[in-house]
Amino acid sequence: MYRPLADEIRPVSLDEVVGQRHLLGEDGVLRRIIDSGRIPNMVFFGPSGTGKTTVAGIIAGRTRRALHRLNATTASIADIRNIIGDVDTLLAPEGVLLYLDEIQYFNKKQQQSLLEFIENGKITLIASTTENPYFYVYGALLSRSTVFEFKPVPPEEISRAVRRAFTVISGKEELPLVWDEGIVDAVARSCGGDVRKAVNAAELLAASAAMKDGKRHVRPEDVSAVSQRSSMRYDRDGDSHYDVISAFQKSIRGSDPDAAVHYLARLLEAGDLPSVCRRLLVVASEDIGLAHPQAISVVKACVDSALQLGLPEARIPLSEAVLLLATAPKSNSAITAVDAALADIRAGRGGEVPPHLMDSHYPGAEKLGRGRTYQYPHSYPGHYTSQQYLPDSLKNARYYEYGDNKAESAARRYWEELKGKE
């Protein structure tokens, strides 16, 4: 029966685990907890292929508790009840260690069913998830667990796993396997921090090795074919989507055109055209705003062009829009002004519209005092005259602060001079 190489060479000790030095290094907090033998309820959070299941298995090997594995994509409450039935029996005299993979797929009721037994210590839960547990794990369950974040494994660490995979494969075959060190590094770089992907790629490369001089040679040109697109982590509905979108906007806001184009490329490579277009329209007003008021018009034209063109040509106008925004002067005066006004409205500080601003285009409006004292600004020099526009309760409120960019500074000087002549 075929057994995947990634499972066959899975580490059995913490020293064999690649990556996660922040947790499993000599002074890593998770390593010290495991070494103590006092295993708490834990949630392992991180991308696929970063060692969550492996570490849980190592922990199980160090405890005398009966190990049960469930995957939340297929498990049910009945499965949990069956496991709970083993507690305090000869099958689990020391209690149960439950490894629950993809816990985000358990609903609230399923997660709640674990609480009683976690609370009394009869079940030790190690749950894993590729999604942010603070969004997907029930609060009461999360409060009884310690969250450990597993990070994508750096290429230099993954190289160890790839090299070991080639060595194991070579040792099992009659003909030796030959590979260049550059191939190991290329595979390690191409898998996006996912050790499982890297080992699977190594297995495929070995299977497709070319015969030469009585040896099987792993060919460099096969690396890109085997590892195609695997270096990119992106899920339109997952954390990576929000992380990349966040980095995209923050790079534009921070005026770094190179980083902005990098994140644009990641979004486009994932085919996420709608998110790019929406975010660019937001950025044009939120982060550039009145410092370059024409930017929104240019971005709208680029977005319309991109949507009409579709990918791959859409990348061209979108790159233009990104670079325009990243290199434009910045102002957030528009969003801060409207948010300050919204804060007053939501706090109940609205007040009545001043009578002279009320609609007066109907019979009887004058009798009600509507619009009587309104002064028409265009009848005055500079098309301006001073009068109260805000409700009485807010007449001294100030929401808009001019930005220090060239456009808003010029507007400020214009109005200061005009209003100063009154």
Side-chain angles (χ1 to χ4, degrees):
M1 180 177 175
Y2 169 71
R3 182 183 180 190
L5 183 64
D7 186 60
E8 183 181 338
I9 66 171
R10 187 184 297 275
V12 295
S13 70
L14 295 179
D15 291 330
E16 294 177 355
V17 176
V18 296
Q20 313 313 327
R21 294 298 94 194
H22 64 296
L23 298 175
L24 303 174
E26 289 187 7
D27 197 40
V29 61
L30 182 54
R31 186 184 193 106
R32 284 183 277 125
I33 289 172
I34 296 171
D35 288 342
S36 74
R38 295 186 295 274
I39 308 300
N41 299 307
M42 296 183 284
V43 175
F44 291 168
F45 155 49
S48 299
T50 53
K52 302 186 297 296
T53 302
T54 296
V55 173
I58 293 171
I59 292 173
R62 292 196 174 195
T63 177
R64 290 183 295 173
R65 295 193 167 201
L67 174 64
H68 289 265
R69 297 175 184 267
L70 290 180
N71 189 298
T73 59
T74 57
S76 64
I77 291 180
D79 295 312
I80 296 174
R81 287 175 179 156
N82 288 337
I83 292 171
I84 291 171
D86 286 350
V87 175
D88 293 332
T89 70
L90 293 176
L91 294 175
E94 302 294 331
V96 167
L97 178 65
L98 171 61
Y99 178 64
L100 180 59
D101 198 14
E102 304 293 355
I103 190 175
Q104 73 269 18
Y105 291 107
F106 258 16
N107 59 36
K108 184 176 179 179
K109 184 177 181 180
Q110 289 172 310
Q111 293 187 32
Q112 283 179 318
S113 66
L114 295 168
L115 284 177
E116 176 187 349
F117 296 91
I118 287 175
E119 196 102 74
N120 62 25
K122 292 183 177 180
I123 288 182
T124 298
L125 174 68
I126 301 179
S128 73
T129 174
T130 55
E131 305 293 346
N132 192 323
Y134 295 100
F135 296 154
Y136 291 94
V137 178
Y138 178 48
L141 189 61
L142 200 60
S143 70
R144 292 162 173 80
S145 308
T146 303
V147 176
F148 293 101
E149 182 178 3
F150 283 60
K151 299 179 180 180
V153 182
E156 57 271 20
E157 290 277 341
I158 292 181
S159 292
R160 290 169 46 201
V162 175
R163 201 174 292 110
R164 184 182 176 206
F166 281 147
T167 301
V168 169
I169 293 171
S170 183
K172 293 196 302 181
E173 302 292 340
E174 293 183 6
L175 297 178
L177 186 68
V178 179
W179 64 90
D180 294 332
E181 188 62 25
I183 291 176
V184 171
D185 294 337
V187 172
R189 287 193 304 269
S190 69
C191 65
D194 187 325
V195 179
R196 188 184 300 109
K197 276 186 179 180
V199 173
N200 289 342
E203 188 173 16
L204 288 173
L205 286 169
S208 61
M211 292 295 299
K212 184 179 178 182
D213 301 328
K215 297 178 181 178
R216 295 180 302 131
H217 293 258
V218 179
R219 302 189 306 178
E221 58 266 31
D222 291 337
V223 174
S224 59
V226 168
S227 308
Q228 188 177 16
R229 293 174 63 93
S230 66
S231 63
M232 184 177 63
R233 291 185 179 276
Y234 191 78
D235 177 357
R236 291 192 194 186
D237 298 319
D239 287 341
S240 58
H241 164 80
Y242 298 103
D243 290 341
V244 174
I245 284 291
S246 176
F248 179 52
Q249 179 165 0
K250 288 172 182 174
S251 297
I252 296 175
R253 181 186 296 151
S255 304
D256 189 328
D258 300 305
V261 169
H262 168 81
Y263 291 113
L264 169 67
R266 288 172 68 160
L267 291 163
L268 294 181
E269 186 68 5
D272 197 354
L273 190 59
S275 293
V276 173
C277 293
R278 181 181 181 278
R279 186 57 48 177
L280 286 174
L281 291 170
V282 170
V283 171
S285 294
E286 180 179 348
D287 295 306
I288 284 74
L290 295 174
H292 186 1
Q294 296 79 19
I296 184 66
S297 299
V298 178
V299 169
K300 180 62 166 62
C302 290
V303 164
D304 288 346
S305 297
L307 293 175
Q308 186 171 357
L309 288 168
L311 290 170
E313 288 83 359
R315 74 189 189 283
I316 306 169
L318 292 178
S319 179
E320 178 183 347
V322 167
L323 293 173
L324 169 70
L325 297 180
T327 57
K330 305 296 188 291
S331 173
N332 68 338
S333 59
I335 188 174
T336 55
V338 71
D339 283 353
L342 283 169
D344 272 348
I345 298 302
R346 290 164 180 167
R349 295 189 289 270
E352 291 291 327
V353 174
H356 63 281
L357 299 183
M358 290 182 176
D359 178 26
S360 59
H361 294 86
Y362 59 91
E366 186 174 355
K367 290 182 180 180
L368 295 174
R370 305 294 196 257
R372 281 183 183 175
T373 61
Y374 174 65
Q375 300 174 62
Y376 188 57
H378 294 300
S379 299
Y380 295 85
H383 304 267
Y384 170 78
T385 185
S386 178
Q387 62 186 321
Q388 181 181 327
Y389 290 96
L390 281 167
D392 288 340
S393 60
L394 292 169
K395 65 180 181 179
N396 295 319
R398 185 171 183 178
Y399 301 121
Y400 174 61
E401 297 288 345
Y402 289 99
D404 57 4
N405 55 81
K406 184 178 179 180
E408 289 182 271
S409 294
R412 183 182 63 247
R413 288 192 298 271
Y414 172 83
W415 286 108
E416 285 177 349
E417 181 180 354
L418 185 61
K419 293 178 179 181
K421 290 179 180 179
E422 288 191 314

